[in-house]
């Protein structure tokens, strides 16, 4: 899914952008809906949406190897419309978030190329054949190599070129970037590689406390013929406790601490090196690299990650709306 940016400032008159949704699989996809996020000072119009849910629209089934375009209109609302910014657009399949993109609006800020790319992480998701989601990470490990494999319980270190570690060049004076010999583009928090946009993830502060329920959904196999669909809910509480529930249907997250078994609850910690440690009450623990998905607003990476987080390569989002 891609979103064409609106390069001019918003006015009282609607400016229209186009969301392009591609089915890159060999199978017909059905049960899709498009949801557009809100932003203070911005009027959002989604043609085809119902009055009771004006920012959510059901989509027609998408044939194999085909794409569809959906218009979205943005306009100035009130006196506090931002000069520029972004609004998140998500694709859901049977109620589960399976892809996200961002609609940028307004003149782009002139951003000076950074002195270094070391430590910066970019992420994207895309529907794949069988109804699952591919989730890709680009992590710059140092001045020579970028990691494009699967992140797990530690930040990778690349010392030589390999399947997961690609060489790159970067000129901080001009912003010119190549990855594995091919030109790439870095514009602010968006990295484009092979025509695919990746969004930069933020870092949470050590010891952060959250108050949110986030959900990860994915599937494997060839749906609907045979597949395993998995949904994981993580509820983070301000007192440092968390509850995890993993289901294969559309049931909601478990929130009653007293009835949750020890292998599904515990305490969480954001470490100084950007990892999330989940210490379960049964004595086990789970550690994953942690990235904060950008929010629509003046603070793209708020203390409470309302837009979502990425653990390893897996995205977890707030689907309560």
């Amino acid at each position: 899914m891609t979103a064409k940016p609106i390069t001019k400032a918003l006015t009282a008159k609607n400016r229209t952008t186009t969301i392009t949704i591609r089915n890159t699989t060999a199978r017909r996809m059905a049960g899709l809906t498009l949801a557009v996020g809100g932003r203070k000072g911005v009027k959002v119009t989604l043609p085809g949406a119902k009055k009771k849910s004006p920012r959510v629209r059901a989509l027609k089934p998408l044939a194999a190897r085909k794409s569809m375009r959906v218009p979205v209109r943005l306009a100035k609302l009130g006196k506090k419309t931002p000069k520029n910014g972004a609004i998140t657009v998500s694709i859901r399949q049977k109620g589960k978030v399976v892809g996200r993109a961002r609609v940028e609006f307004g003149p782009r800020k002139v951003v000076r190329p950074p002195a270094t790319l070391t430590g910066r992480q970019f992420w994207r998701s895309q529907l794949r054949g069988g109804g699952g989601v591919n989730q890709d990470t680009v992590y710059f490990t140092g001045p020579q190599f970028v990691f494009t494999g699967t992140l797990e319980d530690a930040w990778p270190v690349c010392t030589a070129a390999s399947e997961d570690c690609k060489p790159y060049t970067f000129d901080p004076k001009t912003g010119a970037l190549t990855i594995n010999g091919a030109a790439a583009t870095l514009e602010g928090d968006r990295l484009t590689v092979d025509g695919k946009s990746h969004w930069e993830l933020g870092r949470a502060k050590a010891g952060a406390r959250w108050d949110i329920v986030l959900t990860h959904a994915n599937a494997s196999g060839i749906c609907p013929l045979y597949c395993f669909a998995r949904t994981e809910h993580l509820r983070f509480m301000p007192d440092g406790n968390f509850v995890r529930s993993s289901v294969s249907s559309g049931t909601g997250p478990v929130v009653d601490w007293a009835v949750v078994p020890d292998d599904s609850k515990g305490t969480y910690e954001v470490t100084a090196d950007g990892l999330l440690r989940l210490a379960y009450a049964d004595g086990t623990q789970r550690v994953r690299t942690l990235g904060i998905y950008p929010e629509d607003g003046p603070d793209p990476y708020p203390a409470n990650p309302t837009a979502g987080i990425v653990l390893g390569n897996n995205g977890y989002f707030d689907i309560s709306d």
Side-chain angles (χ1 to χ4, degrees):
M1 179 171 61
T2 57
K4 184 178 180 181
I6 296 174
T7 58
K8 297 182 179 180
L10 299 182
T11 65
K13 184 178 180 181
N14 282 326
R15 295 194 184 280
T16 302
T17 183
T18 302
I19 310 299
T20 302
I21 304 156
R22 296 181 176 87
N23 180 1
T24 60
T25 76
R27 297 182 178 276
R28 179 176 178 267
M29 300 186 70
L32 301 175
T33 58
L34 178 71
V36 183
R39 178 78 184 269
K40 186 176 181 180
V42 178
K43 178 183 177 183
V44 177
T45 303
L46 178 58
K50 296 182 178 180
K51 289 185 178 181
K52 64 178 181 179
S53 302
R55 291 187 283 111
V56 178
R57 171 181 166 177
L59 303 176
K60 294 180 179 180
L62 188 56
R65 312 297 184 189
K66 298 294 183 180
S67 63
M68 70 170 69
R69 295 180 179 179
V70 180
V72 174
R73 297 169 186 153
L74 304 182
K76 183 178 180 181
L77 181 64
K79 297 181 179 180
K80 296 185 178 181
T81 300
K83 293 181 180 179
N84 48 45
I87 288 179
T88 297
V89 180
S90 61
I91 285 288
R92 298 181 182 183
Q93 188 173 41
K94 298 180 181 179
K96 300 175 182 179
V97 176
V98 294
R100 289 202 169 194
R102 305 185 80 206
V103 178
E104 297 180 322
F105 62 85
R108 291 192 63 83
K109 295 180 180 180
V110 177
V111 180
R112 285 178 139 189
T116 178
L117 297 182
T118 298
R120 296 180 70 174
Q121 179 188 6
F122 299 81
W123 182 85
R124 71 184 296 272
S125 64
Q126 178 180 329
L127 289 168
R128 69 165 180 261
V133 183
N134 285 329
Q135 299 171 103
D136 302 321
T137 291
V138 176
Y139 174 70
F140 291 89
T141 66
Q144 293 181 296
F145 298 102
V146 58
F147 182 82
T148 59
T150 300
L151 292 176
E152 294 184 354
D153 58 356
W155 297 106
V157 176
C158 292
T159 58
S162 66
E163 182 178 354
D164 291 335
C165 295
K166 306 292 195 307
Y168 80 93
T169 63
F170 177 65
D171 186 340
K173 294 182 179 180
T174 65
L177 173 66
T178 68
I179 295 178
N180 205 29
T185 303
L186 177 62
E187 298 178 296
D189 58 359
R190 182 175 63 183
L191 173 69
T192 304
V193 183
D194 294 330
K196 300 174 182 178
S197 293
H198 301 66
W199 295 99
E200 184 167 14
L201 302 180
R203 290 290 183 93
K205 292 183 179 180
R209 289 289 181 262
W210 304 329
D211 185 11
I212 197 167
V213 177
L214 300 174
T215 300
H216 169 72
N218 210 336
S220 59
I222 303 177
C223 301
L225 298 178
Y226 60 91
C227 67
F228 175 73
R230 179 173 174 271
T231 300
E232 181 184 17
H233 305 285
L234 286 173
R235 177 180 176 84
F236 297 97
M237 291 170 273
D239 60 2
N241 289 313
F242 77 91
V243 173
R244 171 187 176 272
S245 60
S246 183
V247 296
S248 57
S249 63
T251 57
V254 175
V255 295
D256 186 350
W257 179 270
V259 301
V260 178
D262 287 347
D263 62 356
S264 297
K265 67 180 180 182
T267 60
Y268 67 93
E269 175 193 7
V270 177
T271 67
D273 54 351
L275 303 176
L276 180 67
R277 178 178 289 111
L278 301 179
Y280 288 88
D282 67 354
T284 61
Q285 72 172 6
R286 173 186 176 191
V287 179
R288 287 292 182 270
T289 59
L290 170 64
I292 306 300
Y293 192 82
E295 176 64 89
D296 300 332
D299 181 7
Y301 307 110
N304 196 45
T306 50
I309 63 176
V310 176
L311 298 180
N313 273 35
N314 296 326
Y316 291 74
F317 301 107
D318 180 0
I319 62 171
S320 58
D321 60 350

